[in-house]
Amino acid sequence: MLAADDHRYRRQSLFPPIGLAGQRRLGAATVAVVGCGATGGATAQLLARAGIGRLVMVDRDLVAEDNLHRQVLFNESDAREMRPKAEAAAAHLREVNSQIKIEPAVAHLHAGNIDELLAGTDLVVDGTDNVATRFLLNDWAFANTIPWIYVGAVGGEGMLMPVAPPHGPCLRCLLPEPPPPGVLATCDTAGVVGPVPAAMGAMAATEAIKLVIGAGEREPRLRSIDFWHWRVHTIALPVRQGCPTCVEGRFEFLEAQPGSRLTEICGRDSYQIVPRDCGSLDLAWIASRWKGGNQTRSKSFIRIEEGGMRLVLFADGRALIEGAGEAGRAQAFYDRVVGA
Amino acid sequence: MNDVQIRINGKVREVAAGTTVSALLQELRIRPETVVVEHNRKVLSGEEFSATTVADGDELEVVRFVGGG
Ligand SMILES: [Zn+2]
């Protein structure tokens, strides 16, 4: 087994700072990639190729046509079939590397399931597109002393910072509080140049390899890259005085009670509803009693279309609703389907 | 008041002497809580934004938090 592995990875282990010892460490490591879209998909692909022994991939979303210009793990049929990103990514990566463990989770990461979903990971890489999940990851990393890599990409720019608990700086030294909705540019308001998140994902994968084999920077730096104008800037971010996470060890995002929440996703007239009680729904039963509108089923969700709205319901009670126009209408549609 | 010449992210800009970093961010329509500012290569804390004035020849790097992915 080792001989085959050695051959497969030999161009990588030939690089002296990695070597055979480093390659073995990669094979023994578990890395979680949270968010399997543009940055996360690129990271996950390169880590699978690099021979990370166990890859956990968490994503809450479905593949859509407007993902294809930048999300390198998906193809047109994934978008047509609206496959869950985590599952489509896992299927793709199993063809890339059949010798590693790939564990997809179609889920919205929150305070109530993060311990379970990230159990046993040595490192977490950020592939998310939102600040709330990053604040949760930051708290979780310090509560469990597990390193994570913050990665962001929007427009023609990217940003990356490895965070290495128990030492700061951390995400909240950079951004003390989550900004109110609408303040930060998103891929839906500012657009995104397709290769930019992929390039950031490749950098994150490189940092992940370094961290796994113990070759990470002693004092991690914040790196900001404007690909469009070629400005690369490195910042020695100081630990922020009184930082709740890395200085005071208060983990308010980790301790938040997961309540029923309705959030707007990426401004593309799409809402997500995460119910308070994350028990398991009987999708077959819900599908059988629904009499209105068209419905289709797959093994992990049901999809119901009615009056220009489209609802995708997962077994954990979470739903994505498109075409509702406003939050109340989305919630009402959900309540009618689920019977809340 | 005299104008002074500074560089922001590599680009030359004229601003009134005595302009604070806070005022500059406001002028640029940048929300201070979403950026890291380096003033002559030293990272400023949020509290220092209103206490720091720019002088001729200063270099500022304003790095915006990148949220997408
Ligand atoms: Zn901190």
Side-chain angles (χ1 to χ4, degrees):
Chain A
M1 175 210 153
L2 253 184
D5 284 0
D6 285 353
H7 190 77
R8 175 176 190 135
Y9 301 116
R10 71 179 178 164
R11 296 291 167 81
Q12 183 162 272
S13 53
L14 196 57
F15 181 63
I18 295 180
L20 282 173
Q23 190 60 50
R24 264 177 231 120
R25 291 179 87 159
L26 296 176
T30 295
V31 176
V33 179
V34 177
C36 299
T39 54
T43 305
Q45 166 157 187
L46 291 166
L47 291 180
R49 291 184 190 278
I52 293 292
R54 179 172 165 253
L55 205 51
V56 175
M57 298 197 296
V58 184
D59 199 294
R60 64 186 183 184
D61 207 359
L62 308 174
V63 182
E65 192 190 15
D66 66 4
N67 298 154
L68 298 179
H69 87 287
R70 69 189 188 285
Q71 304 194 6
V72 296
L73 291 183
F74 311 126
N75 53 34
E76 290 179 359
S77 66
D78 295 320
R80 242 187 340 263
E81 293 158 27
M82 293 179 67
R83 298 181 71 189
K85 286 185 183 177
E87 282 177 7
H92 186 90
L93 293 184
R94 283 183 185 125
E95 291 189 26
V96 167
N97 193 341
S98 60
Q99 297 172 355
I100 62 171
K101 278 193 209 124
I102 295 174
E103 298 174 10
V106 182
H108 168 72
L109 194 75
H110 56 74
N113 64 9
I114 189 168
D115 282 333
E116 188 189 337
L117 288 172
L118 302 186
T121 56
D122 302 302
L123 170 71
V124 181
V125 186
D126 169 14
T128 67
D129 59 0
N130 67 91
V131 170
T133 309
R134 290 186 175 109
F135 274 65
L136 177 68
L137 286 176
N138 193 54
D139 274 7
W140 186 86
F142 278 86
N144 295 278
T145 325
I146 306 275
W148 77 288
I149 304 173
Y150 150 63
V151 194
V154 74
E157 292 175 59
M159 193 175 252
L160 179 149
M161 185 173 75
V163 178
H167 306 293
C170 75
L171 184 72
R172 293 192 78 178
C173 296
L174 173 60
L175 189 69
E177 297 291 334
V183 166
L184 292 178
T186 71
C187 296
D188 293 277
T189 58
V192 57
V193 185
V196 167
M200 294 309 299
M203 284 182 223
T206 310
E207 285 307 306
I209 289 170
K210 284 152 73 173
L211 284 169
V212 165
I213 70 171
E217 289 176 303
R218 216 154 4 117
E219 285 170 16
R221 299 287 194 245
L222 171 68
R223 292 202 156 80
S224 152
I225 302 162
D226 180 343
F227 291 81
W228 204 254
H229 304 100
W230 265 130
R231 285 184 62 77
V232 180
H233 199 71
T234 299
I235 294 176
L237 191 73
V239 170
R240 196 168 55 84
Q241 222 181 359
C243 174
T245 310
C246 74
V247 176
E248 294 182 355
R250 285 188 289 114
F251 308 125
E252 47 198 280
F253 295 90
L254 198 54
E255 281 147 19
Q257 289 303 311
S260 174
R261 279 180 310 121
L262 182 143
T263 48
E264 195 173 351
I265 294 189
C266 333
R268 58 173 152 91
D269 191 17
S270 184
Y271 292 89
Q272 170 174 262
I273 292 175
V274 181
R276 196 179 311 277
D277 287 314
C278 298
S280 174
L281 293 181
D282 185 344
L283 289 181
W285 182 72
I286 288 173
S288 70
R289 78 179 173 170
W290 177 256
K291 301 298 180 232
N294 288 332
Q295 58 163 290
T296 45
R297 288 191 60 194
S298 86
K299 63 181 188 300
S300 52
F301 61 85
I302 55 176
R303 183 165 69 215
I304 294 175
E305 288 180 58
E306 191 191 68
M309 291 187 287
R310 184 158 60 188
L311 176 143
V312 177
L313 179 68
F314 298 91
D316 63 0
R318 190 171 61 87
L320 299 170
I321 298 147
E322 287 181 335
E326 49 96 19
R329 197 159 170 249
Q331 182 75 54
F333 189 24
Y334 178 89
D335 291 346
R336 278 198 298 126
V337 171
V338 177
Chain B
M1 204 153 23
N2 295 333
D3 278 0
V4 295
Q5 221 179 51
I6 60 171
R7 270 175 189 276
I8 304 175
N9 294 1
K11 277 200 196 117
V12 175
R13 191 182 174 97
E14 309 251 317
V15 299
T19 301
T20 63
V21 169
S22 289
L24 197 58
L25 292 177
Q26 199 170 20
E27 200 179 309
L28 297 169
R29 295 212 186 96
I30 293 172
R31 305 209 24 160
E33 69 272 26
T34 62
V35 290
V36 177
V37 178
E38 269 189 343
H39 179 231
N40 297 330
R41 306 227 140 231
K42 183 188 160 285
V43 177
L44 299 179
S45 71
E47 296 81 56
E48 287 171 313
F49 287 3
S50 55
T52 306
T53 54
V54 295
D56 200 47
D58 277 2
E59 300 211 1
L60 283 180
E61 199 71 35
V62 179
V63 175
R64 281 183 302 178
F65 180 83
V66 177

